[in-house]
Amino acid sequence: MGQIEWAMWANEQALASGLIYMAGGIVAVAGQFKNWQFGAYGIAAGVFISLLEYPRSKRKKGSTMERCGQSAITPVVKVFGPLTRNYYVRAILHAGLAVPGGFLLATILGTVCLGIASIIYLLAAIRGEEWRPIEMKPETKPRIAETIKRPPENPPPRPPPEVRRKQVDEGAAGVGYSNPIPVGDEV
């Protein structure tokens, strides 16, 4: 049986955590909770985490389904090199970003989820995984000769003349075919 790629699970967990963290921050700021400033921090941290985690990493084996719009964010994440590629750094970053959310009830769920994502990223880092961008394969242009379809040279196959239906006789033009099953009028 294949080995689990923990980074894939950590990515999904961290993305959901960022969205939950941001939603909790919005609730705290909109409700003017006590210490609502932690809610404003939760909004900023949630947006940052969501943007960092939106691009999926390329899997070692098999194919990886790219998220919609991922190709626009991937170059930005790729620019930071080892800071975004190394999962030890991500584990520490997520753990550090989660701490202030623990001081406000509205952001506690996002904090706990982000802590779990941090632990999963640490496990992925220990197993030697790292973030690799999904590279788009260059599209091969089809040759013009291959795209032009030629009309068929031979007519479609037809059954032999003996098997084909015979034309109705000139004298019985309006009669049509006879039904072999007897039909009776039972009234």
Side-chain angles (χ1 to χ4, degrees):
M1 193 160 164
Q3 205 169 9
I4 294 174
E5 291 187 38
W6 290 100
M8 181 179 65
W9 296 104
N11 176 263
E12 297 294 331
Q13 178 72 27
L15 180 62
S17 302
L19 296 173
I20 293 167
Y21 205 12
M22 182 175 54
I26 291 170
V27 167
V29 171
Q32 289 295 305
F33 287 17
K34 183 180 176 186
N35 296 328
W36 63 269
Q37 294 84 359
F38 289 114
Y41 168 81
I43 294 171
V47 167
F48 173 73
I49 292 165
S50 298
L51 289 175
L52 176 66
E53 295 298 332
Y54 192 73
R56 282 188 177 134
S57 175
K58 183 178 179 184
R59 295 177 64 190
K60 288 181 182 177
K61 291 183 181 177
S63 62
T64 307
M65 186 82 168
E66 189 178 61
R67 286 191 175 112
C68 181
Q70 174 177 334
S71 58
I73 301 173
T74 301
V76 176
V77 175
K78 195 175 169 183
V79 164
F80 292 102
L83 292 176
T84 55
R85 186 177 41 214
N86 189 338
Y87 287 145
Y88 283 113
V89 173
R90 283 197 187 195
I92 293 167
L93 177 69
H94 290 335
L97 289 172
V99 171
F103 297 111
L104 189 60
L105 182 62
T107 56
I108 282 200
L109 182 60
T111 298
V112 171
C113 292
L114 202 53
I116 293 169
S118 177
I119 292 168
I120 299 171
Y121 266 132
L122 185 62
L123 181 61
I126 289 170
R127 297 200 179 232
E129 297 178 31
E130 69 174 11
W131 186 82
R132 292 174 315 227
I134 299 174
E135 301 290 334
M136 295 302 295
K137 295 178 184 174
E139 292 184 28
T140 57
K141 293 182 181 179
R143 295 183 189 178
I144 295 174
E146 294 173 0
T147 59
I148 298 174
K149 301 205 186 254
R150 295 189 336 220
E153 295 175 0
N154 298 326
R158 293 193 176 128
E162 301 86 36
V163 179
R164 283 189 234 157
R165 289 185 172 174
K166 296 183 179 179
Q167 294 290 329
V168 181
D169 294 311
E170 311 299 357
V175 175
Y177 295 101
S178 62
N179 190 357
I181 301 171
V183 179
D185 193 15
E186 298 175 19
V187 178

